[in-house]
Amino acid sequence: MKQEIIQGNWKEGMSIPTEASLCETFNASRVTVRQAIKTLVDENLLYKVQGSGTYVSERMVSHDIYRLKGFTEEMGELSKKTKSKIITFSMQEPPDFIQHILNLSEDEHVFFIRRLRLVDDIPLVVEDTYLPVSLFPDLSYEIMLGSKYDYIEKKKGFKISSSHQQVLPIMPSESIRELLRLEEGLPILKVELSSMFTDETVFEYTELYFKSDEYKFTITATRNG
């Protein structure tokens, strides 16, 4: 069913086949089909309309702010082809607020990396990241073409625990607007993010600029009691 959506056989807004038809098509029980539909609804690939049926969602990219995942990992789960274009890669003295967030001494430097993140060759996110040189002395241009979190966890062996995120609606700067190919006057969402290891060391500060007409944010709230 997921492949039908990804390959475009089930179009956006289309009502999916009945459960009976899906059972026959996939030679599956009704319980299995219902669970599959629920899973695809949870992944925002399908949505239900009470009293009407189940439909294929718009193909906007969904970002769950309650899940700490890198862009490459998140898009991989959606079977999307990703690419990173590095706009800036430099070592520099950190601005005062970065020095404070990363708890750096006055003589410590940071890597600053601006990356344009693309999905299916469509620019979706501009990412500005600051990483302490002391933690990642071997960081390179080539590494940042791939997954930052893969490098941190698998190559460096650090354990990432959590991040603090703040979401802000803003008007983009001209440079951000040009990178994301935005129409003039279109607002975007900016996420300010600081992440830490299990020992509570803050290892990154990142500002993410999301293309709002291609990207949506999802929040799953639970009620206790």
Side-chain angles (χ1 to χ4, degrees):
M1 292 167 60
K2 189 171 186 177
Q3 287 302 312
E4 293 291 330
I5 298 171
I6 292 171
Q7 294 172 4
N9 297 326
W10 290 2
K11 306 296 184 182
E12 295 179 16
M14 165 185 165
S15 175
I16 70 171
T18 64
E19 288 184 3
S21 177
L22 291 171
C23 289
E24 182 177 350
T25 299
F26 296 107
N27 192 25
S29 69
R30 192 173 290 263
V31 171
T32 299
V33 166
R34 285 177 179 171
Q35 181 58 47
I37 291 172
K38 181 181 182 301
T39 298
L40 294 176
V41 169
D42 291 342
E43 293 180 7
N44 297 304
L45 293 174
L46 297 176
Y47 67 95
K48 288 180 173 289
V49 177
Q50 187 68 32
S52 177
T54 304
Y55 298 85
V56 180
S57 301
E58 295 182 6
R59 295 294 296 279
M60 292 180 72
V61 177
S62 179
H63 174 69
D64 186 344
I65 65 173
Y66 283 120
R67 300 176 70 203
L68 179 53
K69 289 185 177 293
F71 182 83
T72 303
E73 184 181 8
E74 189 171 50
M75 295 303 103
E77 291 182 353
L78 298 175
S79 300
K80 291 183 177 293
K81 181 182 177 182
T82 64
K83 183 168 63 176
S84 295
K85 180 179 180 181
I86 297 178
I87 309 301
T88 305
F89 185 99
S90 65
M91 183 188 298
Q92 59 182 240
E93 293 183 3
D96 289 344
F97 81 100
I98 297 296
Q99 181 181 347
H100 175 72
I101 290 172
L102 297 178
N103 195 28
L104 302 175
S105 61
E106 289 188 3
D107 60 345
E108 288 190 82
H109 287 69
V110 296
F111 287 110
F112 169 70
I113 308 99
R114 167 168 282 188
R115 296 192 291 180
L116 179 63
R117 317 305 299 273
L118 302 98
V119 172
D120 298 330
D121 292 321
I122 299 172
L124 289 188
V125 183
V126 174
E127 175 190 285
D128 289 348
T129 297
Y130 296 85
L131 296 167
V133 174
S134 58
L135 288 176
F136 311 108
D138 60 341
L139 186 69
S140 67
Y141 185 101
E142 289 72 23
I143 287 171
M144 292 304 291
L145 285 172
S147 168
K148 173 180 63 183
Y149 287 168
D150 270 0
Y151 158 74
I152 291 171
E153 293 183 310
K154 296 178 181 178
K155 183 173 181 179
K156 303 300 292 182
F158 292 116
K159 293 185 181 297
I160 301 172
S161 67
S162 60
S163 72
H164 177 268
Q165 302 183 36
Q166 180 171 248
V167 182
L168 304 166
I170 66 165
M171 296 301 296
S173 65
E174 184 175 351
S175 63
I176 297 295
R177 183 169 59 82
E178 289 178 355
L179 286 170
L180 293 177
R181 304 175 195 166
L182 299 171
E183 295 181 7
E184 193 167 355
L186 182 68
I188 63 171
L189 289 174
K190 175 185 178 184
V191 173
E192 298 175 348
L193 177 154
S194 54
S195 302
M196 65 181 64
F197 298 139
T198 51
D199 65 0
E200 298 188 353
T201 298
V202 179
F203 68 88
E204 77 161 324
Y205 174 75
T206 295
E207 295 179 345
L208 299 155
Y209 302 88
F210 290 89
K211 191 174 184 180
S212 56
D213 59 346
E214 298 279 356
Y215 225 108
K216 67 178 179 180
F217 285 72
T218 61
I219 300 173
T220 301
T222 59
R223 180 180 175 93
N224 296 326

PDB file of all heavy atoms in Angstrom, residues 65-78:
ATOM      1  N   ILE A  65       8.210  17.143  15.545  1.00  0.00           N
ATOM      2  CA  ILE A  65       9.160  17.831  16.412  1.00  0.00           C
ATOM      3  C   ILE A  65       9.413  17.097  17.711  1.00  0.00           C
ATOM      4  O   ILE A  65      10.304  17.478  18.480  1.00  0.00           O
ATOM      5  CB  ILE A  65       8.707  19.280  16.707  1.00  0.00           C
ATOM      6  CG1 ILE A  65       7.400  19.298  17.505  1.00  0.00           C
ATOM      7  CG2 ILE A  65       8.570  20.081  15.428  1.00  0.00           C
ATOM      8  CD1 ILE A  65       7.010  20.689  17.949  1.00  0.00           C
ATOM      9  N   TYR A  66       8.647  16.041  17.995  1.00  0.00           N
ATOM     10  CA  TYR A  66       8.880  15.260  19.199  1.00  0.00           C
ATOM     11  C   TYR A  66       9.801  14.071  18.951  1.00  0.00           C
ATOM     12  O   TYR A  66      10.018  13.250  19.839  1.00  0.00           O
ATOM     13  CB  TYR A  66       7.558  14.779  19.803  1.00  0.00           C
ATOM     14  CG  TYR A  66       6.832  15.876  20.543  1.00  0.00           C
ATOM     15  CD1 TYR A  66       5.565  16.276  20.152  1.00  0.00           C
ATOM     16  CD2 TYR A  66       7.426  16.526  21.619  1.00  0.00           C
ATOM     17  CE1 TYR A  66       4.894  17.289  20.826  1.00  0.00           C
ATOM     18  CE2 TYR A  66       6.770  17.543  22.292  1.00  0.00           C
ATOM     19  CZ  TYR A  66       5.505  17.921  21.896  1.00  0.00           C
ATOM     20  OH  TYR A  66       4.841  18.927  22.563  1.00  0.00           O
ATOM     21  N   ARG A  67      10.337  13.934  17.740  1.00  0.00           N
ATOM     22  CA  ARG A  67      11.274  12.857  17.445  1.00  0.00           C
ATOM     23  C   ARG A  67      12.592  13.478  17.014  1.00  0.00           C
ATOM     24  O   ARG A  67      12.627  14.280  16.084  1.00  0.00           O
ATOM     25  CB  ARG A  67      10.735  11.948  16.339  1.00  0.00           C
ATOM     26  CG  ARG A  67       9.410  11.291  16.675  1.00  0.00           C
ATOM     27  CD  ARG A  67       8.904  10.482  15.500  1.00  0.00           C
ATOM     28  NE  ARG A  67       9.721   9.296  15.279  1.00  0.00           N
ATOM     29  CZ  ARG A  67       9.798   8.674  14.101  1.00  0.00           C
ATOM     30  NH1 ARG A  67       9.174   9.141  13.042  1.00  0.00           N
ATOM     31  NH2 ARG A  67      10.533   7.578  13.986  1.00  0.00           N
ATOM     32  N   LEU A  68      13.659  13.122  17.733  1.00  0.00           N
ATOM     33  CA  LEU A  68      14.976  13.667  17.418  1.00  0.00           C
ATOM     34  C   LEU A  68      15.610  12.810  16.340  1.00  0.00           C
ATOM     35  O   LEU A  68      16.215  11.772  16.613  1.00  0.00           O
ATOM     36  CB  LEU A  68      15.855  13.699  18.669  1.00  0.00           C
ATOM     37  CG  LEU A  68      17.288  14.228  18.490  1.00  0.00           C
ATOM     38  CD1 LEU A  68      17.272  15.600  17.818  1.00  0.00           C
ATOM     39  CD2 LEU A  68      18.018  14.281  19.805  1.00  0.00           C
ATOM     40  N   LYS A  69      15.451  13.235  15.085  1.00  0.00           N
ATOM     41  CA  LYS A  69      16.017  12.514  13.960  1.00  0.00           C
ATOM     42  C   LYS A  69      16.698  13.504  13.019  1.00  0.00           C
ATOM     43  O   LYS A  69      16.244  14.634  12.862  1.00  0.00           O
ATOM     44  CB  LYS A  69      14.926  11.754  13.192  1.00  0.00           C
ATOM     45  CG  LYS A  69      14.371  10.551  13.945  1.00  0.00           C
ATOM     46  CD  LYS A  69      13.395   9.790  13.089  1.00  0.00           C
ATOM     47  CE  LYS A  69      12.895   8.547  13.813  1.00  0.00           C
ATOM     48  NZ  LYS A  69      13.970   7.559  14.004  1.00  0.00           N
ATOM     49  N   GLY A  70      17.781  13.056  12.413  1.00  0.00           N
ATOM     50  CA  GLY A  70      18.431  13.868  11.402  1.00  0.00           C
ATOM     51  C   GLY A  70      17.610  13.885  10.131  1.00  0.00           C
ATOM     52  O   GLY A  70      16.744  13.030   9.905  1.00  0.00           O
ATOM     53  N   PHE A  71      17.893  14.866   9.281  1.00  0.00           N
ATOM     54  CA  PHE A  71      17.141  15.032   8.036  1.00  0.00           C
ATOM     55  C   PHE A  71      17.240  13.785   7.161  1.00  0.00           C
ATOM     56  O   PHE A  71      16.242  13.305   6.629  1.00  0.00           O
ATOM     57  CB  PHE A  71      17.690  16.255   7.292  1.00  0.00           C
ATOM     58  CG  PHE A  71      16.983  16.569   6.007  1.00  0.00           C
ATOM     59  CD1 PHE A  71      15.802  17.290   6.015  1.00  0.00           C
ATOM     60  CD2 PHE A  71      17.511  16.161   4.788  1.00  0.00           C
ATOM     61  CE1 PHE A  71      15.153  17.602   4.826  1.00  0.00           C
ATOM     62  CE2 PHE A  71      16.875  16.468   3.598  1.00  0.00           C
ATOM     63  CZ  PHE A  71      15.694  17.178   3.625  1.00  0.00           C
ATOM     64  N   THR A  72      18.458  13.250   7.008  1.00  0.00           N
ATOM     65  CA  THR A  72      18.655  12.072   6.158  1.00  0.00           C
ATOM     66  C   THR A  72      17.866  10.882   6.685  1.00  0.00           C
ATOM     67  O   THR A  72      17.216  10.154   5.926  1.00  0.00           O
ATOM     68  CB  THR A  72      20.151  11.706   6.080  1.00  0.00           C
ATOM     69  OG1 THR A  72      20.886  12.840   5.596  1.00  0.00           O
ATOM     70  CG2 THR A  72      20.378  10.532   5.153  1.00  0.00           C
ATOM     71  N   GLU A  73      17.903  10.689   8.009  1.00  0.00           N
ATOM     72  CA  GLU A  73      17.185   9.582   8.629  1.00  0.00           C
ATOM     73  C   GLU A  73      15.676   9.751   8.477  1.00  0.00           C
ATOM     74  O   GLU A  73      14.953   8.805   8.146  1.00  0.00           O
ATOM     75  CB  GLU A  73      17.555   9.506  10.109  1.00  0.00           C
ATOM     76  CG  GLU A  73      16.953   8.336  10.860  1.00  0.00           C
ATOM     77  CD  GLU A  73      17.351   8.331  12.324  1.00  0.00           C
ATOM     78  OE1 GLU A  73      17.972   9.321  12.784  1.00  0.00           O
ATOM     79  OE2 GLU A  73      17.026   7.347  13.003  1.00  0.00           O
ATOM     80  N   GLU A  74      15.201  10.955   8.706  1.00  0.00           N
ATOM     81  CA  GLU A  74      13.768  11.229   8.632  1.00  0.00           C
ATOM     82  C   GLU A  74      13.239  11.020   7.213  1.00  0.00           C
ATOM     83  O   GLU A  74      12.193  10.402   7.003  1.00  0.00           O
ATOM     84  CB  GLU A  74      13.496  12.666   9.081  1.00  0.00           C
ATOM     85  CG  GLU A  74      12.042  13.006   9.258  1.00  0.00           C
ATOM     86  CD  GLU A  74      11.845  14.362   9.906  1.00  0.00           C
ATOM     87  OE1 GLU A  74      12.456  15.345   9.436  1.00  0.00           O
ATOM     88  OE2 GLU A  74      11.091  14.441  10.880  1.00  0.00           O
ATOM     89  N   MET A  75      13.968  11.504   6.228  1.00  0.00           N
ATOM     90  CA  MET A  75      13.525  11.343   4.844  1.00  0.00           C
ATOM     91  C   MET A  75      13.667   9.905   4.363  1.00  0.00           C
ATOM     92  O   MET A  75      12.872   9.428   3.546  1.00  0.00           O
ATOM     93  CB  MET A  75      14.329  12.271   3.925  1.00  0.00           C
ATOM     94  CG  MET A  75      14.096  13.759   4.170  1.00  0.00           C
ATOM     95  SD  MET A  75      12.359  14.259   4.027  1.00  0.00           S
ATOM     96  CE  MET A  75      11.930  14.418   5.773  1.00  0.00           C
ATOM     97  N   GLY A  76      14.660   9.193   4.895  1.00  0.00           N
ATOM     98  CA  GLY A  76      14.825   7.792   4.546  1.00  0.00           C
ATOM     99  C   GLY A  76      13.625   6.961   4.954  1.00  0.00           C
ATOM    100  O   GLY A  76      13.216   6.028   4.252  1.00  0.00           O
ATOM    101  N   GLU A  77      13.032   7.298   6.095  1.00  0.00           N
ATOM    102  CA  GLU A  77      11.845   6.587   6.553  1.00  0.00           C
ATOM    103  C   GLU A  77      10.658   6.809   5.613  1.00  0.00           C
ATOM    104  O   GLU A  77       9.736   6.000   5.562  1.00  0.00           O
ATOM    105  CB  GLU A  77      11.467   7.034   7.962  1.00  0.00           C
ATOM    106  CG  GLU A  77      12.460   6.575   9.025  1.00  0.00           C
ATOM    107  CD  GLU A  77      12.032   6.983  10.416  1.00  0.00           C
ATOM    108  OE1 GLU A  77      11.023   7.735  10.535  1.00  0.00           O
ATOM    109  OE2 GLU A  77      12.691   6.566  11.381  1.00  0.00           O
ATOM    110  N   LEU A  78      10.686   7.906   4.873  1.00  0.00           N
ATOM    111  CA  LEU A  78       9.620   8.208   3.926  1.00  0.00           C
ATOM    112  C   LEU A  78       9.990   7.775   2.506  1.00  0.00           C
ATOM    113  O   LEU A  78       9.264   8.081   1.560  1.00  0.00           O
ATOM    114  CB  LEU A  78       9.330   9.717   3.940  1.00  0.00           C
ATOM    115  CG  LEU A  78       8.836  10.303   5.271  1.00  0.00           C
ATOM    116  CD1 LEU A  78       8.719  11.814   5.167  1.00  0.00           C
ATOM    117  CD2 LEU A  78       7.508   9.692   5.678  1.00  0.00           C
TER     118      LEU A  78
END
